[in-house]
Amino acid sequence: MSSLTTRTAREMLADLVAKRVSARELLEAHVARNDALTAKLNAVVATDLARARKDALAIDDARAKGEPLGALAGLPMTIKDGTDVENMPATSGNPALADRPKDCTDADVVKSVRHEGAVVWGKTNVPLMLGDFQSYNDIYGTTNNPYDVTRVPGGSSGGAAAALAAGITPLEIGSDIGGSLRHPANFCGVLALKPTWGKISLRGQVPPLPGRYVDLDLGVTGPMARNAGDLRLLWNVLRGSAGSPSRDVKGARVAVWDDEPGFPLASEVRDGVKRAADAFTKAGAIVERANLPFSGDELMQTYNDLLIAVLGATFPRELYDSFVMQRTQDLEAIREGKDPFGASAYRLRATASYRDVLAAMTKRQAMKDKLAAFHASGWDIILSPISPVPAFPHDHSQPQMARTLDMDGTKIPYMTMLNWIALATALHGPALAVPAGRTKTGLPVGVQLIGPSEDRLFDYAHVLEERLGGFNPPAI
């Protein structure tokens, strides 16, 4: 990494305040870093350098005059291309949106960072309509993992995570409905916070399609960074408050959840969970294995009932209608036990009635109540894996659900990528992804911290950083 782009966001801001570097110089350093790595990574797929340079110069002028400035004043940033940015409308990897008019307005989260003086200069790559665990599309091509370019950076915030790890941006904003913040953070060795559902506005994200905004169930937007302090900084900006002060984790009770029937897990991922558990023990926390107060199967059935219904509601009319036309055959297939987890079940969930969705929501509420009681009984946080495997090789084969992953020499279904992330997403809770070392071949491995509130999760993330080393940059 370029020395100017390796520093933490807070160090960069301190340098800006002390006038050791200008906002324009810092911007150009990150643009140059991207230029040097575009051929290898393809993380940043659109830029507005004219606006960014103008904004950076304005920040420098205001600082020279001693004018009050925001918490991110002069810090360059990129934004995931599922989020509208003025003059850089979201395409979400969809060719049908490639020619959107440039006069879109900033998404609410972009307004938040601009209000604090961030210099937004680029958009990062995503999969088609944010719907994959890797990041490629017909508009911008494929984004590679900076630790191994033959492998995926995750999805759908894959370009964001790759850009962070490679020193192209110090902060990013992603989104998550199926692990889209946590999987990329895991695969690229950075941090991400999936906030509690409903805490941060999603206005300006695609999907849903432009002009059709609605608060969809499950989906959130949240911060990404290379360390816990920077992540907390951006989180505070996005929510508009400083939050509660840090606390020691000594005496806290940590539930380790890394063994669930039907949830595959590679040995090197399990090793990462163990490293994190040992770190908490050494920090004085009480760490024990624990089971959820409901089964993983119940969780996944309910999550899929809700997730696929939400996704189906955003499908193009022609696709949705084609699913409806097959309902009779699909119902028959399910009754005969021919297709309990495949295409028939997917189409039925995508076209579910509100009565069916309400039934799933009722089950979800019962699980939320059980999880609240679980925490109230003394468990402060849950420590668990994020993805069943480390970053995997690129695979663009179709259909997506037919893909497989290699787990310790055994093939597992591609969609098991949803298993470990489902708890926080389905039950609307916060989860923080943090690095927990590397595999024998040098791929990052992370864990997620799940608890009742965001602020407390940062305390545990700081412990893991201190004891496991935190972000370890790629040799790219």
Side-chain angles (χ1 to χ4, degrees), residues 125-439:
N125 206 22
V126 297
L128 174 64
M129 295 303 282
L130 316 187
D132 204 339
F133 307 115
Q134 44 193 312
S135 295
Y136 70 96
N137 59 71
D138 289 341
I139 305 175
Y140 297 122
T142 301
T143 298
N144 299 319
N145 189 306
Y147 293 86
D148 180 347
V149 296
T150 70
R151 295 175 183 267
V152 306
S156 59
S157 309
L164 274 170
I168 292 169
T169 185
L171 297 175
E172 250 281 2
I173 297 174
S175 58
D176 191 312
I177 195 172
S180 288
L181 280 160
R182 290 162 285 167
H183 288 309
N186 182 26
F187 288 171
C188 293
V190 297
L191 291 82
L193 175 68
K194 185 211 90 68
T196 302
W197 181 78
K199 273 204 172 180
I200 304 296
S201 170
L202 276 165
R203 188 177 293 274
Q205 180 176 292
V206 177
L209 290 172
R212 300 182 186 178
Y213 173 73
V214 64
D215 282 325
L216 294 173
D217 195 1
L218 304 176
V220 300
T221 187
M224 305 179 75
R226 290 192 290 264
N227 60 80
D230 288 355
L231 190 71
R232 189 193 288 263
L233 168 67
L234 183 52
W235 169 239
N236 288 342
V237 166
L238 293 179
R239 68 174 172 178
S241 65
S244 59
S246 298
R247 290 184 289 162
D248 196 346
V249 305
K250 186 175 182 180
R253 294 187 70 206
V254 177
V256 178
W257 176 53
D258 65 350
D259 188 9
E260 183 69 40
F263 285 27
L265 193 64
S267 58
E268 289 192 300
V269 179
R270 196 181 301 276
D271 290 344
V273 177
K274 184 179 186 305
R275 285 191 294 271
D278 290 345
F280 285 137
T281 298
K282 291 175 182 176
I286 302 165
V287 182
E288 300 176 38
R289 291 189 174 279
N291 295 320
L292 298 181
F294 38 78
S295 72
D297 181 65
E298 181 184 4
L299 172 66
M300 291 310 299
Q301 290 286 349
T302 303
Y303 176 41
N304 277 308
D305 286 346
L306 294 168
L307 174 66
I308 300 171
V310 168
L311 298 179
T314 69
F315 287 168
R317 189 78 232 180
E318 297 79 9
L319 178 61
Y320 184 86
D321 288 346
S322 72
F323 282 13
V324 171
M325 293 290 289
Q326 297 179 75
R327 279 190 68 85
T328 300
Q329 301 97 299
D330 288 337
L331 285 167
E332 184 63 27
I334 294 297
R335 278 194 291 267
E336 295 177 1
K338 292 179 180 179
D339 195 15
F341 303 108
S344 290
Y346 187 91
R347 287 190 293 265
L348 289 171
R349 282 174 162 138
T351 55
S353 68
Y354 186 74
R355 185 182 185 88
D356 293 333
V357 173
L358 182 60
M361 292 170 68
T362 302
K363 292 177 183 176
R364 191 247 306 274
Q365 185 59 56
M367 284 189 281
K368 289 174 77 169
D369 293 344
K370 290 178 181 178
L371 185 62
F374 178 83
H375 285 301
S377 71
W379 294 109
D380 293 287
I381 67 159
I382 297 170
L383 166 66
S384 83
I386 299 169
S387 317
V389 296
F392 52 86
H394 296 289
D395 181 1
H396 300 173
S397 61
Q398 294 295 334
Q400 186 181 134
M401 286 188 295
R403 298 173 190 163
T404 59
L405 302 168
D406 176 42
M407 186 197 73
D408 299 339
T410 299
K411 290 186 182 302
I412 60 173
Y414 190 67
M415 299 311 291
T416 57
M417 287 284 288
L418 291 174
N419 286 354
W420 296 104
I421 62 89
L423 177 62
T425 299
L427 305 193
H428 290 164
L432 196 158
V434 60
R438 292 208 199 179
T439 69

